Amino acid sequence: MKIRVAAVGDVHLGEDLRGRYRGRLDGIGERADVLLLAGDLTRHGTPEEGRVVADEFRDLPIPVVTVLGNHDYQSDAADEIVEVLRDAGIQVLQDESTVIECGDLRLGVVGGKGFGGGFAGKCASEFGEPQMKAFVRHTREISELWHKALKGLDTDHRVVLSHYSPVKDTLAGEPLEIYPFLGSYLLAEAVDAEGADLFIHGHAHSGVEKGLTPGGVRVRNVALPVLRRAYAVYSLGAEDPEV
Amino acid sequence: MSHEASHDVAPHHDAPHYDAPHYVAARVQRALAADERTYELGIRVDIRGDQLFLRGEVECEERRHLVAAVAGETAPGLKVHNEVTVVEVRGPGEEETL
């Protein structure tokens, strides 16, 4: 028995792309059991763009779960975008969990946008000016919420869905100087503490698809410019055909 | 420092270093990220002499043209070479067993 997780991020939809993504989702019901969207659904973060996203991803034959990304906050209309998506039957995770029934198996998904700060040994700390403290605190609080959400999740498989990256592995190709704005090791630490089968993220358009947390959780960067395919499909709980 | 003193040392467009290619490229990159027509964070901007080179990827042809338009407005007088490409998206492909 396996669960097939389809995932893509950073689709950056707007009126100029209306109707273009939908065709790429034909047949997704035969290929996957759930579709996860890793944020940056829009470009400007307007409710109008949110409606384009809702129309592209509504009424699919499989459940759709998403988080928001930094672009989705740009117009200070994140709440309205969340409402538009939920009205279209798309689940939006904001530092919380959901359970998806996939046949006889249950998939737990913990998700939120995540945030930056950098990676162990080369990261920002909660020290100094209030702005710097607030920046790092935001990531720490998210990490604590994810830790808690994972702890309470008793399912056959667990996936974490984020916009920001938990590791440097999947940022390879991005300028080193911007790593602290692309993710934080605190996100990985929370997940490694409780365990998960897979960590999905986007945000790093110039990065690579595959990485690992220090604790051995598989990380996949599904930003559309990285995947260059409509979505990736990851199979959990299946026999590895190459072993 | 008084407001007047601060004003006196503010950079002028004819200041010798204000238009150093380094700063012009940074201004173009900032405009591409902040201009509502683009909001593109991943475009690389390089200036060599009077040539401005744009590299990166966007989702469609219209966005590709807007990137060049915003860059041209931000750095008038430079010849814009738009080397930005449109992301090509294939079908979903094979599943990966984890």
Side-chain angles (χ1 to χ4, degrees), chain A residues 68 77-87 90 92 94:
Chain A
L68 300 185
D79 290 346
E80 209 175 323
I81 291 175
V82 168
E83 205 180 310
V84 165
L85 294 174
R86 286 184 176 152
D87 286 348
I90 297 167
V92 186
Q94 294 182 294

Side-chain angles (χ1 to χ4, degrees), chain A residues 65-82:
Chain A
V65 181
T66 192
V67 295
L68 300 185
N70 53 317
H71 277 252
D72 306 318
Y73 282 84
Q74 169 62 16
S75 298
D76 297 323
D79 290 346
E80 209 175 323
I81 291 175
V82 168

Side-chain angles (χ1 to χ4, degrees), chain A residues 2 4 12 14 16-17 20 31 43-44 71 74 198 218 220 228-231 233-235 239-240, chain B residues 36-41 57 59-60 62-63 87-98:
Chain A
K2 61 179 186 178
R4 298 162 305 165
H12 291 290
D16 54 350
L17 291 174
R20 293 214 209 157
R31 295 192 183 94
R43 189 160 57 130
H44 301 72
H71 277 252
Q74 169 62 16
L198 174 63
R218 246 71 85 83
R220 295 293 180 264
R228 297 177 177 279
R229 52 194 198 273
Y231 50 86
V233 180
Y234 305 111
S235 183
E239 294 285 322
D240 188 335
Chain B
E36 63 176 11
R37 290 170 294 170
T38 48
Y39 283 155
E40 296 290 349
L41 276 64
E57 286 186 317
E59 283 79 8
C60 64
E62 189 189 342
R63 293 183 189 180
V87 181
E88 282 183 40
V89 180
R90 306 185 309 270
E94 293 295 304
E95 72 179 49
E96 181 192 3
T97 299
L98 299 182

